[in-house]
Amino acid sequence: MALSLALTACGEQAVGLSGNERMAVLQDGSGEGISEWTASAEDYDDHPHIPDPDVAVDVTLPVFPTADAFTEALKERVDEEVADFRAGTRDPVSLGVDWELVAAGEGVLGVRLVRSEEDMHGMREGYSTHWYDATTGRSAQSTELLAGQEALDELDAIVGDELADDEEVDGDTLYPVLRTYDSIGFNENGDLVVEFDDGHLSPVIEGHVPSTEFGRKVVIVDHETAAPLLSDLGERARQASMTENADLEPAEFEEDDDEEEAPPPVPGVFDARLPDVDCEDVEVRCIALTFDDGPVAATSDLLDLLAAEKVTASFFLNGSPVLTRPGPLRRAYSEGHEIASHGDLHEHMNRMDAEELPSQVASVSAMVRRQTGHTVELFRPPFGATDDDVHREISDQGMVETLWTVDSEDWEGLTSDEIVDRVVDLVEPGGVVLMHDPQEATLDAVPEIIRLLRDEGYEFVPASQAMGFPEPPHVFPEDWDGSW
């Protein structure tokens, strides 16, 4: 049995809420064996590629006497959060991060971070819980309380059922990805608590980020239902959340000489789905379908088509669409499509001043990481307009500059038949096809393109695989002149 609750962003741990309706909190400040580390904007002045370093920052984190690795992991997580907030929001104003101890015992420590941020769209709160396993010396994500991706998928289905009738939740926003399920813990009875940031599941508002007016969404799953989904860490974290005798000094982890086993994959983290083909084999005909300018309303229909055809594609996303429609982004990521950047503003980057380029390149990467946890590896300049400064900035930010070998010209207003004919006539093995998901004719053309190219023996792969997995600095194709 699960219970769904909608809670306001402010004071959710206090007025009118019983222990069953909130995550257990053992301590929320220094003392009783925990000291604190604080930081302000000056402590993050080494962040590159950010549009406004003057954003106010106020961070307070716990320091555990025998868990230095956990303390450092929390600092690293917040460092990334500060950088992504600065780069991935519109006109950022301030960011505050505070903490609560939610588990201490059974060799486990758990910390809930509460993030308060303000930008041009107003105030919102975000939440994440972080875990430390003293038996391995590892810090863990919230999803690692679950016994693998299948368990996260099942939890996602439970949560979806509970929220299905909630008009404040958009059904196309909930997917089993890391940053959607980054705040999982337990209440004082040991039931599983899953909470979502302000606006994370809100319906789409055209030209605006999803509204925060509905506040935090919480689903509580009773232990009988949740127990089969928990990992060993999850079950120990549950016990550590209900303890009456908090153990703030778990035994320090001591490495032995044996080769350490690689940890299992983190649930909610996806790599692009790579078909089992060798694109460097001259007998293999690989082709990549890529889609620019989304996500838009039609992106969900395109994802339906690709799922039906079992085709992996690459999506090059722009800033405002990502902020407006994070749901299709999460879906594309969770279904194994390659997520890439098409720059913040859809403008000619080779006509911009050099000081404008860092934020143009960094913004979408930060937005994608805030919504999924994924770090983007490919970047496509709008219009293919590039020059040496653009090349350099993309490379400096660790991405491969990815243009195309076939322009479908769907943006020219071609009919679906004309798009099909053009793509099929021009493709060659190892090619990358440029299309756009906002174009209605493109959606009509995609199934026929797939059918005809399959008849010719083509294998559909993401762009990185078609290109042979190049490392930056690299521009594909190498003879691209960028003359726009």
Side-chain angles (χ1 to χ4, degrees):
M1 177 182 179
L3 173 63
S4 169
L5 298 169
L7 304 180
T8 59
C10 298
E12 80 275 2
Q13 293 286 12
V15 180
L17 299 180
S18 72
N20 291 343
E21 297 169 336
R22 65 189 187 202
M23 201 173 290
V25 176
L26 306 183
Q27 189 169 325
D28 62 359
S30 60
E32 297 297 327
I34 305 178
S35 58
E36 290 183 325
W37 177 85
T38 61
S40 60
E42 290 74 19
D43 296 289
Y44 301 100
D45 61 5
D46 60 343
H47 285 162
H49 324 306
I50 58 175
D52 185 1
D54 296 326
V55 173
V57 176
D58 183 9
V59 173
T60 302
L61 296 176
V63 176
F64 297 96
T66 62
D68 290 343
F70 190 33
T71 300
E72 291 306 310
L74 291 173
K75 290 180 181 179
E76 290 175 10
R77 176 69 191 89
V78 171
D79 183 87
E80 181 182 78
E81 192 67 56
V82 172
D84 287 347
F85 172 71
R86 285 168 158 178
T89 60
R90 294 289 186 237
D91 296 335
V93 176
S94 64
L95 175 67
V97 179
D98 211 338
W99 66 275
E100 298 165 337
L101 181 71
V102 297
E106 304 291 329
V108 175
L109 294 171
V111 168
R112 178 182 188 255
L113 298 183
V114 180
R115 186 180 71 253
S116 302
E117 58 184 54
E118 182 180 5
D119 61 13
M120 67 175 290
H121 297 294
M123 293 289 299
R124 69 180 61 222
E125 283 198 350
Y127 325 91
S128 59
T129 58
H130 304 265
W131 303 86
Y132 175 71
D133 185 351
T135 68
T136 62
R138 286 187 62 246
S139 296
Q141 305 280 2
S142 266
T143 57
E144 292 178 88
L145 300 181
L146 304 172
Q149 186 61 45
E150 289 186 4
L152 178 56
D153 292 344
E154 188 169 342
L155 177 62
D156 184 66
I158 293 170
V159 171
D161 287 344
E162 289 302 312
L163 296 176
D165 297 328
D166 189 335
E167 295 181 354
E168 298 175 350
V169 171
D170 182 348
D172 194 28
T173 61
L174 185 67
Y175 294 95
V177 302
L178 178 62
R179 289 305 297 269
T180 293
Y181 285 92
D182 61 355
S183 193
I184 302 176
F186 302 89
N187 64 18
E188 61 185 20
N189 288 348
D191 299 320
L192 193 70
V193 178
V194 185
E195 60 183 357
F196 305 98
D197 295 354
D198 292 358
H200 192 87
L201 303 180
S202 295
V204 169
I205 302 173
E206 292 295 344
H208 195 284
V209 298
S211 174
T212 64
E213 65 176 307
F214 309 126
R216 183 173 68 127
K217 293 290 179 180
V218 177
V219 172
I220 299 173
V221 184
D222 68 83
H223 181 57
E224 183 178 355
T225 302
L229 307 180
L230 298 180
S231 63
D232 171 70
L233 173 62
E235 185 54 47
R236 287 189 288 122
R238 175 178 179 265
Q239 297 296 327
S241 300
M242 298 188 294
T243 184
E244 294 182 0
N245 299 299
D247 180 6
L248 301 175
E249 299 187 24
E252 292 188 82
F253 175 73
E254 296 184 6
E255 295 186 33
D256 56 32
D257 295 332
D258 295 334
E259 185 175 345
E260 184 180 351
E261 289 187 15
V266 177
V269 174
F270 298 88
D271 293 321
R273 187 176 58 231
L274 303 178
D276 187 18
V277 297
D278 181 2
C279 293
E280 296 183 3
D281 186 335
V282 295
E283 301 296 323
V284 176
R285 312 183 86 188
C286 290
I287 192 71
L289 301 183
T290 71
F291 299 91
D292 287 8
D293 300 351
V296 294
T299 302
S300 295
D301 296 327
L302 176 58
L303 290 169
D304 289 342
L305 291 174
L306 296 172
E309 297 290 348
K310 296 181 171 57
V311 166
T312 303
S314 300
F315 288 85
F316 289 81
L317 310 178
N318 287 121
S320 291
V322 169
L323 292 175
T324 299
R325 279 189 168 80
L329 158 62
R330 297 172 201 147
R331 176 183 172 185
Y333 173 64
S334 70
E335 292 182 353
H337 297 288
E338 187 166 50
I339 305 301
S341 175
H342 195 34
D344 186 12
L345 305 177
H346 200 280
E347 297 177 358
H348 293 77
M349 292 174 62
N350 61 351
R351 301 176 188 173
M352 294 181 179
D353 294 336
E355 58 267 23
E356 295 180 76
L357 294 178
S359 64
Q360 286 298 313
V361 176
S363 294
V364 172
S365 299
M367 294 171 191
V368 169
R369 192 159 38 240
R370 279 165 63 86
Q371 292 295 335
T372 66
H374 174 66
T375 297
V376 168
E377 297 180 348
L378 305 183
F379 187 97
R380 173 175 289 164
F383 309 104
T386 187
D387 59 19
D388 287 345
D389 287 339
V390 177
H391 297 331
R392 188 177 304 108
E393 188 60 43
I394 293 169
S395 174
D396 285 350
Q397 296 197 33
M399 287 178 275
V400 171
E401 190 170 347
T402 308
L403 289 308
W404 57 86
T405 60
V406 177
D407 183 354
S408 70
E409 294 192 354
D410 56 353
W411 51 277
E412 290 271 29
L414 272 59
T415 68
S416 60
D417 288 343
E418 289 171 330
I419 294 169
V420 171
D421 290 343
R422 180 173 175 81
V423 171
V424 173
D425 287 346
L426 294 177
V427 294
E428 294 180 352
V432 173
V433 180
L434 169 67
M435 291 186 283
H436 300 79
D437 37 331
Q439 302 297 324
E440 183 176 347
T442 300
L443 267 66
D444 293 336
V446 166
E448 187 69 0
I449 290 171
I450 293 171
R451 184 185 71 81
L452 291 174
L453 292 184
R454 274 185 171 151
D455 287 347
E456 294 185 13
Y458 276 93
E459 301 277 358
F460 293 93
V461 300
S464 58
Q465 189 173 4
M467 295 186 296
F469 305 106
E471 297 286 337
H474 185 84
V475 180
F476 175 91
E478 294 181 12
D479 58 355
W480 191 269
D481 62 14
S483 56
W484 280 78

